Amino acid sequence: MPERRSSKRGGPGDGDGNGKKLKDEAMGTALRTVYHAAVSEPVPDEMLDLLRKLD
């Protein structure tokens, strides 16, 4: 059987879970920022033309 390795990495704050929580919160904030930037961009004219042709 292949050896299974743990996916957990040791590091500061890992013992009480606060380090993971902080990383998760930072990742969530970064993802929300990118998402909001993407949905705030205008739809390109070429895409709007293609959508009009479908109607």
Side-chain angles (χ1 to χ4, degrees):
M1 262 184 151
E3 180 183 331
R4 297 186 80 184
R5 294 183 181 183
S6 174
S7 62
K8 292 184 179 182
R9 293 181 178 179
D14 284 350
D16 58 6
N18 285 335
K20 182 180 180 336
K21 183 177 179 181
L22 290 174
K23 287 180 185 178
D24 288 348
E25 289 175 359
M27 179 65 73
T29 299
L31 289 171
R32 280 188 291 279
T33 300
V34 170
Y35 172 79
H36 288 297
V39 297
S40 298
E41 292 182 10
V43 178
D45 291 335
E46 296 85 4
M47 179 64 76
L48 292 174
D49 290 340
L50 288 172
L51 290 172
R52 283 187 202 104
K53 289 178 183 179
L54 291 174
D55 286 335

